[in-house]
Amino acid sequence: MGTLKVAQQLEKAGLPTPQAEAVSRIVNDLGRADLVTKDHLDVRLLQHTLATIAAFAMIAGMFKLFS
């Protein structure tokens, strides 16, 4: 839902226009702060996967060393 529609919904609920517009802008800004791109998510997933593989390799090496 766009910022304008949110403000209109708040106005229908009885909030004065300036407050409705301010609240809708704040909510919109907060929502965008946590968004990531697919590329960013792919990179972070790859980093996590490589770190997990490295940890398993280290554990496997320790078992081999102490067995």
Side-chain angles (χ1 to χ4, degrees), residues 1-52:
M1 186 181 300
T3 306
L4 178 60
K5 286 191 176 192
V6 170
Q8 290 170 341
Q9 291 289 329
L10 291 169
E11 289 174 27
K12 285 181 186 178
L15 204 61
T17 300
Q19 286 88 347
E21 291 173 352
V23 169
S24 65
R25 279 193 303 273
I26 290 168
V27 170
N28 186 48
D29 291 346
L30 289 174
R32 290 179 187 217
D34 293 331
L35 295 178
V36 297
T37 65
K38 183 182 179 307
D39 289 339
H40 182 255
L41 187 59
D42 288 343
V43 168
R44 295 296 292 170
L45 182 58
L46 178 60
Q47 289 172 336
H48 178 69
T49 301
L50 293 174
T52 302

